[in-house]
Amino acid sequence: MKILFAFLITLLVSVEIKCDTIDWSAHQWQAPSPTDSRGPCPGLNTLANHGFLPRNGSNITIPVVLKAINDGFNFQPINLLRIGAKLGLLTTDAEDSFTLNNLALHGTLEHDASLSRNDYALGDNVHFNETVFTTLANSNPGVDYYNITSAAQVMAQRLAEDKIVNPTLINTVKEFTVRIVESGFYLSVMGNVTTGVAPKNFVQIFFREERLPLAEGWERSEVPIGEDNFDTLLSGITNVSTWAPSGEVVCPWIRLQPEGEVVVVDG
């Protein structure tokens, strides 16, 4: 009996067991109510719609948002996410929490040339905009996936479009970095962080419906998304990008609070 027990333990340890620890019955998608807070980030909106974040989109603390991203996407709390969560607190006068709508404050995390939102200077920078999203949706024609190359091309096209319609466009290295991270995010959480390939159907549902495409076959990344593999993905997008700063604002800048002057950071 002892020999059999030892054999079974050895077998269990040596064989990779695929097991999703998330109870998805507790995280069914629900559309937000008119009083729920939602913002310009489709990823966080999606997590709220599935109950990983508070469904009302309010009282979000740093530990809460980092745990939600990890639970919902198997995306570990890497430095970039911790910095982003801390910046979220700058968008509100509350001491230790923010709402999803707070994140629409222009110049902290929210930025021009979004993949799915209008610019602040052009109108509604909070809600999904199909016209803006068409650039990403129609990219990489002829195949059913997006990849590193198409992500970089979409970023370049969105910036070119914005230069025409937004005379107050802000395009410093800070905005470029945020856009790179956002592109890497949808490729990794909707696809494969190692290959940088994501099915078009999954990505489009993620942006348009702010829903995890579970019914269509999506699963959380089997490989934890962490510092090393995500940095490698971001480097791949950066290496095929053709970005250059433009406009009157050259130095990276950030808004440190909802009211008051913009703070320019020499970089």
Side-chain angles (χ1 to χ4, degrees):
M1 180 64 70
K2 290 183 178 179
I3 294 176
L4 178 59
F5 180 75
F7 172 75
L8 291 174
I9 292 296
T10 302
L11 183 63
L12 289 172
V13 170
S14 61
V15 174
E16 180 181 357
I17 302 176
K18 182 179 179 180
C19 180
D20 194 336
T21 59
I22 299 300
D23 178 9
W24 289 105
S25 65
H27 293 285
Q28 295 298 303
W29 182 86
Q30 294 179 20
S33 75
T35 59
D36 289 337
S37 178
R38 293 295 184 268
C41 178
L44 297 185
N45 290 346
T46 298
L47 292 174
N49 290 341
H50 281 273
F52 289 102
L53 285 173
R55 289 189 182 270
N56 65 4
S58 301
N59 300 312
I60 298 172
T61 65
I62 292 174
V64 164
V65 71
L66 293 178
K67 183 178 186 302
I69 294 171
N70 193 29
D71 289 348
F73 298 127
N74 200 15
F75 202 131
Q76 298 176 334
I78 64 175
N79 285 332
L80 280 172
L81 293 185
R82 289 196 293 267
I83 292 170
K86 292 176 181 178
L87 288 174
L89 295 178
L90 300 181
T91 64
T92 174
D93 290 327
E95 292 183 355
D96 60 0
S97 67
F98 56 88
T99 71
L100 293 182
N101 187 259
N102 288 150
L103 301 180
L105 180 69
H106 183 57
T108 303
L109 287 167
E110 187 275 344
H111 58 87
D112 292 334
S114 165
L115 297 173
S116 63
R117 266 66 176 172
N118 214 345
D119 290 357
Y120 171 76
L122 301 178
D124 181 3
N125 68 332
V126 174
H127 298 96
F128 174 80
N129 185 304
E130 180 65 38
T131 300
V132 170
F133 182 66
T134 296
T135 303
L136 170 54
N138 293 344
S139 66
N140 218 26
V143 295
D144 61 356
Y145 59 84
Y146 303 118
N147 59 17
I148 289 172
T149 302
S150 69
Q153 291 171 343
V154 168
M155 288 175 56
Q157 186 175 342
R158 280 291 302 119
L159 186 57
E161 293 163 352
D162 245 31
K163 288 178 180 178
I164 296 172
V165 298
N166 185 1
T168 63
L169 170 70
I170 305 296
N171 178 40
T172 74
V173 68
K174 187 202 87 173
E175 286 72 35
F176 173 67
T177 301
V178 175
R179 294 196 292 264
I180 286 282
V181 172
E182 290 170 344
S183 296
F185 190 85
Y186 77 75
L187 288 177
S188 59
V189 301
M190 287 295 109
N192 187 303
V193 67
T194 304
T195 63
V197 172
K200 287 183 175 180
N201 188 36
F202 292 175
V203 173
Q204 291 175 15
I205 290 171
F206 176 68
F207 277 96
R208 286 182 170 131
E209 302 179 33
E210 297 182 335
R211 172 173 69 86
L212 297 175
L214 293 161
E216 291 77 13
W218 175 86
E219 296 179 348
R220 292 165 75 241
S221 175
E222 292 184 25
V223 177
I225 303 170
E227 297 279 4
D228 292 340
N229 53 18
F230 193 63
D231 283 351
T232 299
L233 176 58
L234 297 187
S235 295
I237 301 173
T238 303
N239 290 340
V240 295
S241 296
T242 57
W243 175 83
S246 60
E248 296 182 2
V249 179
V250 178
C251 295
W253 67 288
I254 188 168
R255 194 178 297 277
L256 298 179
Q257 57 185 15
E259 56 283 312
E261 297 296 324
V262 168
V263 175
V264 175
V265 180
D266 292 330

